[in-house]
Amino acid sequence: MLRRSVLSLARRQLSRMALQTPMEDAMRTKITEALKPSTLEIHNDSHLHSHHKAMAGSTSQETHFRVVITSEAFKSKMQPARHRMVYALLKEEMAREGGIHALQLRTRTLEEEQKQAEREAAGKGEGVDAKVDVA
């Protein structure tokens, strides 16, 4: 929770200083208000796609996003239903000229996030043990 707050504050400060991120700000506001996420990561990958033919003539710097959302609002819903929830929230941003062109979503519950963290920790631990056994 603290990590999210610190990251959120840092992003907002950057946003206010030099970077103009109205699309990301709108996404963050809508997702936060509707889903009350415990984790929200929004990555603007637009610079990686600016050379694509579909982006020719686009003046927007905010067209391609990767979003990670952990929310209890997703509990007992399959991935397609979770994604539809997010698409519905961002409908205007996706329909707007120069708006969201591509949206990669990773949606999970707090329980799923914790299980993944445990698997990753166990995997890292096995790697260390294997090195110790070999030595």
Side-chain angles (χ1 to χ4, degrees), residues 69-88:
I69 307 168
T70 302
S71 173
E72 287 306 300
F74 297 139
K75 198 169 189 109
S76 75
K77 291 181 174 54
M78 300 297 287
Q79 287 295 334
R82 295 173 182 186
H83 289 205
R84 282 192 297 270
M85 290 170 67
V86 178
Y87 295 149

Side-chain angles (χ1 to χ4, degrees), residues 81-98:
R82 295 173 182 186
H83 289 205
R84 282 192 297 270
M85 290 170 67
V86 178
Y87 295 149
L89 289 173
L90 303 177
K91 182 179 180 178
E92 293 174 12
E93 288 74 13
M94 294 178 83
R96 183 180 308 154
E97 180 69 30

Side-chain angles (χ1 to χ4, degrees), residues 45-56:
D45 292 336
S46 302
H47 64 284
L48 301 173
H49 303 275
S50 60
H51 66 282
H52 293 179
K53 186 176 181 179
M55 297 292 93

